[in-house]
Amino acid sequence: MIQNWWKEGVIYQIYPRSFYDSNGDGIGDLNGIRQKLPWLKHLGVDIIWLSPVYQSPNDDNGYDISDYYQVMDEFGTMEDFDRLLEEIHGLGLRLVMDLVVNHTSDEHFWFQESRKSKDNPYRDYYIWRPPVNGGLPNNWKSFFSGDAWEMDEATGEYYLHLFSRKQPDLNWDNPKVREEVYQLMRFWLDKGIDGFRMDVIPFISKPEGLPDKDWAKIPDYGVAYANGPRVHEYIQEMNREVIQHYDMMTIGEGVGISAENANLYVGNDRGELNMIFHFDHMFIDHGPNGRMEKKKYELKDFLEVFDRWENALGEKGWGSIYLGNHDFPRMVSRFGDAENFWEQSAKLLATLIFTRKGTPGVYQGDEIGLTNTPFESIEEYRDIEILNASRELKAKGGDEKSFLKTALTQARDHARTPMQWDDSANGGFSIHTPWIKVNPNYPRINAKTQAEQENSIFNFYRQMIALRKSHPAWVYGDTEVIVSGSDQVYAYQRSYESDSFLVVLNFSSQAVRHAISPAKGAVMVSNYAADSAWGEYLQPWEAVIIRLN
Ligand code: ISL
Ligand code: CA
């Protein structure tokens, strides 16, 4: 397997609004990130993925960009950005920016022009359609509730928006749009950034004629909009025009990409992307209408995703392994047992992330075991997705109580509460009241305490990252699944040349007798004390790594 820095590195995602506020306005910023770089260096990660910091009216927290060449005022200046990049590189780290080009903000100059008249030179930068029989052009729905079309009075036509009405979709069939995108990519790459995470990149090509969707047959919105007819043509063109001219990493947000078609995007013979973040495990509890239609699932179905994807990518593709980002509740609350086995389950999930094949991704705060926040009312939420859904529910007269209860485990805002740095006011995130509620557990769960305690989740992450770097088996080794299909135990082996390691995980809050008996081998890592680890029974959420030779 070809060796690359983006296979060997560990990604750390920063959500800038919530990382660290350096100037006391309650909003995280670029200088705040710069001040906290030693934290990332100490943790041992290599690649920072920065959620959008471009100019934006923040309808969707920066995923609605009004100027790709400016930094958001609230986050600082271009000088602050340049200095941040310089210090990141000075520490031997890399910076990957978010590329959000399926849509812009409606406040972007292109859209402001586009909406003026049907013959404006920017008209075809977006997707406009006249009413059909006095109504909507088709039955497409928005991720953020309601229809994907908005009527614009100036010209009496609708524009398409797969996300909010303040996020009009760009028309990628227009070569001028593609050239604009390549130009802005070069602008940031020429500054020296090391790559892009590409927001909903499988959505950029829309089918000819925009036919209605057969919603009854579509498992989720991602599948509905992904993999349009010209998506590969466009990504290959982007690769020829931009990507191949830089030593950079590309990671697509793979909403709607399945294991079966993944290598069309990431196969090393395709000239497209290095890897994608797929969602098969992240959407596992979502119904056809999304996260608020919460679905039960079994552990074996969750774990099977990891095996299936690794097999599908094979030698040609490359994967990513992550359990949380800014769009999902906290991983330990979701996949672990934050109430009863917070520390053990957070460590077990980390073990999975760092020992499977694929580039590991850590979402800010997961390294200290941040949990979901007990939001008390809809007023405490900030995210457009949940606020729109709540408005829609109220209009339909739905059950608000049960909606709020579901939101406690499903809302995106759980990932967006401020990073908890210490036990001072606001978790040490800001001297000002933050833009979003701080999790009240910050006196107990915070970075300072985590760094001080020898056996903390944070120090376990450090240990796992160091381990991953100490043996090529963790990056390039093959995986052999030893135990799967169980509702508790999962075990696999990673091997490379003469190295071989066994990973055993008890994904449950009950002790379980196991039948795994390596002929020989020494415990290298465990999330239990040496005298209680790796006995006849696996302890609740026990994670153990055994060196086999
Ligand atoms: O969170 C979701 C809706 O329930 C996801 O489906 C999400 O919208 C999807 O993964 C796309 O996410 C990305 O693009 C969105 C933005 O809101 C997300 O934050 C971003 O990660 C629109 O730009
Ligand atoms: Ca600030």
Side-chain angles (χ1 to χ4, degrees):
M1 177 144 276
I2 305 159
Q3 311 206 338
N4 299 98
W5 60 264
W6 44 264
K7 291 179 182 166
E8 294 167 11
V10 173
I11 301 173
Y12 185 95
Q13 184 192 353
I14 292 182
Y15 197 67
R17 223 178 170 69
S18 304
F19 197 55
Y20 184 59
D21 172 21
S22 72
N23 63 347
D25 61 356
I27 297 171
D29 46 56
L30 294 173
N31 285 330
I33 296 170
R34 193 162 52 77
Q35 288 175 32
K36 294 296 185 185
L37 290 178
W39 172 258
L40 302 184
K41 191 68 193 170
H42 186 49
L43 175 58
V45 297
D46 310 276
I47 303 159
I48 297 171
W49 154 27
L50 192 56
S51 274
V53 297
Y54 314 93
Q55 197 176 96
S56 163
N58 284 308
D59 189 53
D60 186 19
N61 287 357
Y63 283 91
D64 49 320
I65 297 168
S66 53
D67 190 338
Y68 292 95
Y69 296 91
Q70 301 285 333
V71 165
M72 195 191 299
D73 291 336
E74 288 172 329
F75 290 170
T77 63
M78 193 59 91
E79 287 68 46
D80 297 334
F81 176 85
D82 292 340
R83 207 165 143 202
L84 173 63
L85 180 59
E86 202 183 310
E87 290 196 18
I88 286 172
H89 284 161
L91 288 169
L93 306 175
R94 306 203 196 227
L95 181 67
V96 164
M97 303 262 291
D98 221 304
L99 182 74
V100 188
V101 289
N102 172 69
H103 44 269
T104 70
S105 164
D106 66 337
E107 297 181 33
H108 194 288
F109 164 77
W110 303 333
F111 191 75
Q112 292 298 313
E113 286 298 309
S114 185
R115 77 191 330 174
K116 279 182 183 163
S117 67
K118 289 185 193 168
D119 55 10
N120 188 282
Y122 290 90
R123 185 67 171 180
D124 286 338
Y125 271 46
Y126 296 87
I127 301 171
W128 293 95
R129 290 290 181 278
V132 172
N133 302 324
L136 300 170
N138 69 20
N139 71 351
W140 292 15
K141 295 189 269 195
S142 154
F143 275 83
F144 296 156
S145 303
D147 301 308
W149 294 99
E150 183 73 7
M151 164 55 70
D152 203 50
E153 296 304 334
T155 55
E157 290 195 341
Y158 291 96
Y159 64 86
L160 179 72
H161 61 90
L162 297 185
F163 294 90
S164 96
R165 60 175 61 126
K166 283 183 70 62
Q167 291 167 298
D169 280 54
L170 282 164
N171 174 19
W172 272 71
D173 295 337
N174 180 349
K176 283 192 198 139
V177 166
R178 306 203 296 274
E179 195 37 59
E180 298 270 15
V181 171
Y182 306 150
Q183 195 182 314
L184 76 90
M185 290 174 75
R186 290 183 202 111
F187 172 82
W188 291 96
L189 289 162
D190 290 340
K191 276 184 177 285
I193 70 159
D194 304 286
F196 286 110
R197 171 268 187 189
M198 303 182 180
D199 197 68
V200 289
I201 200 73
F203 293 5
I204 57 176
S205 164
K206 315 294 194 262
E208 187 80 45
L210 309 180
D212 276 352
K213 304 282 177 200
D214 186 353
W215 289 112
K217 290 202 185 125
I218 296 174
D220 63 64
Y221 285 24
V223 170
Y225 299 123
N227 311 312
R230 297 177 70 182
V231 68
H232 296 293
E233 176 192 334
Y234 296 155
I235 298 176
Q236 284 168 13
E237 181 182 89
M238 178 195 281
N239 192 303
R240 281 196 309 276
E241 292 289 323
V242 184
I243 298 171
Q244 68 173 30
H245 304 286
Y246 297 86
D247 173 23
M248 66 181 288
M249 148 177 172
T250 51
I251 180 159
E253 191 200 17
V255 198
I257 298 180
S258 66
E260 291 69 46
N261 71 356
N263 270 349
L264 293 177
Y265 289 87
V266 303
N268 57 17
D269 52 351
R270 296 284 298 169
E272 296 194 20
L273 306 174
N274 295 145
M275 57 185 126
I276 57 161
F277 288 121
H278 75 76
F279 287 87
D280 280 2
H281 58 313
M282 300 300 275
F283 286 167
I284 195 149
D285 61 350
H286 292 196
N289 290 304
R291 68 183 66 230
M292 295 303 283
E293 218 173 69
K294 196 175 170 181
K295 206 171 79 185
K296 278 219 160 68
Y297 66 91
E298 288 185 45
L299 178 74
K300 64 176 168 47
D301 298 326
F302 171 77
L303 295 173
E304 180 267 340
V305 172
F306 294 84
D307 303 334
R308 181 158 44 86
W309 271 81
E310 189 172 324
N311 287 335
L313 293 169
E315 288 293 302
K316 277 194 172 166
W318 186 256
S320 69
I321 310 286
Y322 74 104
L323 295 173
N325 67 26
H326 64 294
D327 290 333
F328 293 89
R330 286 287 169 182
M331 73 176 205
V332 66
S333 300
R334 196 173 179 207
F335 303 123
D337 180 350
E339 273 191 10
N340 307 302
F341 294 97
W342 169 66
E343 189 171 316
Q344 292 88 343
S345 62
K347 290 178 180 175
L348 175 139
L349 295 172
T351 309
L352 178 72
I353 292 176
F354 293 112
T355 60
R356 286 303 300 231
K357 192 173 190 174
T359 302
V362 178
Y363 179 64
Q364 79 181 32
D366 284 344
E367 79 277 25
I368 57 170
L370 289 193
T371 60
N372 286 349
T373 295
F375 291 105
E376 279 160 24
S377 66
I378 193 71
E379 285 71 37
E380 287 189 337
Y381 289 94
R382 294 289 175 271
D383 177 22
I384 181 162
E385 182 191 51
I386 195 95
L387 296 177
N388 279 359
S390 157
R391 212 169 297 133
E392 189 176 61
L393 177 97
K394 279 183 190 159
K396 284 186 184 152
D399 181 350
E400 291 180 39
K401 253 203 178 147
S402 92
F403 180 89
L404 280 179
K405 188 166 170 249
T406 307
L408 284 178
T409 64
Q410 303 301 91
R412 305 200 296 182
D413 277 334
H414 292 292
R416 302 175 179 189
T417 61
M419 178 68 178
Q420 296 166 204
W421 292 105
D422 57 37
D423 62 2
S424 68
N426 306 316
F429 163 74
S430 173
I431 54 166
H432 189 279
T433 306
W435 68 278
I436 188 171
K437 181 177 173 138
V438 185
N439 192 318
N441 67 15
Y442 71 80
R444 182 170 60 93
I445 305 182
N446 63 66
K448 186 162 174 281
T449 311
Q450 284 283 309
E452 282 164 5
Q453 287 173 0
E454 200 190 326
N455 289 321
S456 65
I457 294 168
F458 177 69
N459 282 315
F460 190 85
Y461 268 76
R462 293 183 58 221
Q463 183 188 2
M464 290 305 302
I465 293 174
L467 175 81
R468 194 171 182 279
K469 291 185 178 173
S470 66
H471 301 281
W474 297 117
V475 180
Y476 297 110
D478 293 327
T479 309
E480 189 193 340
V481 177
I482 307 291
V483 180
S484 67
S486 146
D487 54 6
Q488 288 175 290
V489 182
Y490 187 44
Y492 48 88
Q493 227 164 280
R494 296 292 308 276
S495 309
Y496 187 74
E497 293 175 351
S498 62
D499 281 337
S500 194
F501 303 97
L502 172 68
V503 181
V504 182
L505 308 171
N506 175 9
F507 266 86
S508 82
S509 302
Q510 284 78 44
V512 56
R513 188 197 284 266
H514 67 86
I516 309 161
S517 55
K520 49 182 179 152
V523 173
M524 294 181 82
V525 176
S526 165
N527 61 351
Y528 273 84
D531 55 356
S532 56
W534 192 231
E536 187 187 344
Y537 283 83
L538 289 170
Q539 307 287 328
W541 298 98
E542 179 166 346
V544 59
I545 301 179
I546 294 146
R547 186 179 189 123
L548 292 177
N549 49 10

